[in-house]
Amino acid sequence: MNIGIVCYPTFGGSGVVATELGKALASRGHKVHFITYSQPARLDFFNENLFYHEVNVSTYPLFDYPPYETSLASRLVDVVKFEKLDILHVHYAIPHASAAVFAKHILASEGIRIPVITTLHGTDITLVGRDKTYTPVISYSINESDGVTTVSESLKRETLTLFDVKKEIKVIPNFVDFSRFSKKPKDHFRKVIAPNGEKMIIHTSNFRKVKRVGDVVRVFQKINEKTPSRLLLIGDGPERINIEMLCRELNIAPLITFLGKQEAVEEILSICDLFILPSEHESFGLAALEAMACELPVISSNTGGIPELMVDGITGFMSNVGDIEKMANDAFLILEDAETLKRFKSNALSQARKFSIETVLPKYEAFYSSVLSTF
Ligand code: GMT
């Protein structure tokens, strides 16, 4: 197939899923065209089946807000025509689904037909999508898409509750590429950071309020009171400065390392013992899945799609959002002795294997075929 993929090219979960999906489809022989405003973060190598088309947003003194959606729709029309794409797969509703539907209508007026598949990821529905100013456009774009997927059953339910959706929604869970995300022999790195055998705790996110990174720090503080530990924080975002302040206020700043945005996340996960994901909302929790693939048990909230990934008491523990006390106690249960930790690590890996790219990719290919066959 000749597939167009639209996504945010950043480190955010939806962009990561879209890019990894495109790379995997290309390795199975499909031609994959990324249409984005900059080179996707994980698209950093040459493959004869991968193509990148930049969306240029022109500025003009009149534009306080440059019309990105218009530029994207125009670029989609151009790429579909020139590259003769079979299908457009857009990730994240705003503004990708609406731009794709717009492009589809323009192309139809010229006698060119192309189906649009929209994958909803989370905040496009649960946070941004809740904003009533976007509701008519999101509902319309979902209903005008030829196929719609969500990354969890939970997100499907929320989409149906929040929007007037008449389209059937197919759930295809997120996935992990074990050729990249698996435990790497990096113990020398661990010895530098935790020379006295401290436990290594980790969290990765884009430091938005929804991630509750403050809870990560408070849970860590409690863990450290019982078991000497170090905390690694990967990622960056609007809350980072507040989190740095919190670490200083709690007098634990020397135990916490802010690593910022990192490429080789799997190497850092490999030197850790426990991953914390206390989000207010999480439609799937890709970061937790990648951690589990590197053999890390997870302490998380029980919100959104997390219970579809985690097995409580087996791969880690889930708690109500904000229950720092329970999260810390659960963490201590996991870290208490070497045998227990080993068991949780192995359980986390077994569960992650259910979400391997080899298992999930055929679901997308089958979905593309079924949409094309009824289009
Ligand atoms: O929250 C993020 O990390 C980014 C965000 C996105 O859309 O870019 O992630 C959402 O999509 C991920 C990939 O499908 C999911 O794993 C995340 O759970 C989801 N984030 C939220 O629901 C908060």
Side-chain angles (χ1 to χ4, degrees):
M1 271 180 249
N2 207 7
I3 303 158
I5 291 187
V6 179
C7 63
Y8 282 106
T10 56
F11 281 98
S14 62
V16 168
V17 169
T19 312
E20 295 296 344
L21 175 64
K23 281 156 58 175
L25 287 164
S27 71
R28 300 255 291 209
H30 301 284
K31 296 226 177 303
V32 178
H33 298 260
F34 284 91
I35 305 140
T36 55
Y37 59 78
S38 66
Q39 181 95 5
R42 288 197 186 178
L43 196 69
D44 51 2
F45 65 99
F46 172 77
N47 176 305
E48 59 187 2
N49 290 331
L50 282 174
F51 306 89
Y52 165 58
H53 309 268
E54 192 157 304
V55 180
N56 291 306
V57 187
S58 35
T59 51
Y60 183 69
L62 191 64
F63 298 157
D64 277 343
Y65 305 100
Y68 175 63
E69 196 169 343
T70 307
S71 303
L72 175 59
S74 297
R75 191 71 168 124
L76 290 176
V77 169
D78 172 66
V79 176
V80 169
K81 274 198 222 169
F82 187 73
E83 301 290 350
K84 301 198 173 16
L85 299 189
D86 298 314
I87 200 157
L88 267 181
H89 186 179
V90 303
H91 294 256
Y92 210 86
I94 308 167
H96 300 153
S98 42
V101 165
F102 189 15
K104 178 174 89 161
H105 290 167
I106 295 170
L107 287 159
S109 74
E110 297 176 23
I112 299 168
R113 296 181 76 239
I114 181 146
V116 170
I117 291 182
T118 296
T119 290
L120 304 170
H121 281 270
T123 48
D124 44 353
I125 296 299
T126 56
L127 291 181
V128 190
R130 256 177 214 271
D131 181 340
K132 291 280 175 271
T133 50
Y134 294 121
T135 305
V137 174
I138 296 181
S139 291
Y140 182 78
S141 339
I142 293 175
N143 286 323
E144 286 292 310
S145 297
D146 302 284
V148 181
T149 76
T150 58
V151 296
S152 63
E153 293 288 347
S154 153
L155 184 59
K156 175 177 174 173
R157 283 193 297 275
E158 288 196 77
T159 307
L160 294 173
T161 308
L162 291 168
F163 296 94
D164 182 19
V165 173
K166 296 177 181 74
K167 267 261 145 7
E168 198 182 318
I169 296 179
K170 169 102 180 143
V171 176
I172 304 183
N174 284 337
F175 53 82
V176 64
D177 180 358
F178 277 90
S179 69
R180 174 174 171 191
F181 284 91
S182 56
K183 195 168 171 61
K184 306 276 185 289
K186 292 282 165 187
D187 274 0
H188 53 289
F189 179 28
R190 179 176 177 137
K191 284 196 182 100
V192 176
I193 296 191
N196 303 311
E198 294 93 332
K199 291 287 182 282
M200 295 291 297
I201 319 294
I202 186 165
H203 167 82
T204 72
S205 75
N206 44 23
F207 283 64
R208 287 177 299 166
K209 270 199 162 37
V210 68
K211 299 292 177 178
R212 295 183 71 101
V213 186
D215 287 5
V216 175
V217 171
R218 291 179 196 283
V219 170
F220 168 74
Q221 183 191 29
K222 288 181 183 297
I223 296 172
N224 184 60
E225 280 164 11
K226 290 192 178 173
T227 310
S229 306
R230 296 292 310 261
L231 174 64
L232 301 181
L233 293 172
I234 299 185
D236 212 338
E239 283 298 298
R240 173 160 169 183
I241 184 70
N242 296 332
I243 301 303
E244 285 187 32
M245 294 300 164
L246 178 67
C247 297
R248 290 178 208 167
E249 272 164 36
L250 297 176
N251 280 322
I252 48 174
L255 303 175
I256 300 173
T257 309
F258 288 80
L259 292 165
K261 290 177 182 158
Q262 291 282 331
E263 296 285 342
V265 182
E266 65 282 9
E267 293 186 1
I268 306 167
L269 289 168
S270 294
I271 62 158
C272 293
D273 300 301
L274 186 68
F275 188 86
I276 306 185
L277 189 72
S279 308
E280 183 85 33
H281 199 280
E282 201 67 64
S283 66
F284 182 86
L286 180 65
L289 173 59
E290 292 180 341
M292 287 159 71
C294 294
E295 302 180 30
L296 291 191
V298 177
I299 291 292
S300 72
S301 56
N302 53 15
T303 184
I306 297 179
E308 294 170 45
L309 168 65
M310 289 271 291
V311 186
D312 198 28
I314 305 288
T315 61
F317 291 97
M318 291 182 282
S319 305
N320 291 335
V321 173
D323 194 342
I324 291 166
E325 206 64 46
K326 179 175 179 304
M327 289 184 192
N329 286 337
D330 288 343
F332 193 63
L333 289 179
I334 296 173
L335 299 172
E336 181 167 45
D337 63 80
E339 266 315 298
T340 312
L341 179 57
K342 200 171 154 198
R343 193 177 71 246
F344 273 98
K345 285 186 170 188
S346 147
N347 292 345
L349 175 61
S350 309
Q351 176 69 0
R353 286 210 172 102
K354 296 182 185 158
F355 298 88
S356 72
I357 195 161
E358 291 77 14
T359 313
V360 177
L361 187 72
K363 295 183 202 281
Y364 274 112
E365 287 178 303
F367 191 60
Y368 290 169
S369 299
S370 83
V371 168
L372 277 167
S373 69
T374 55
F375 184 66

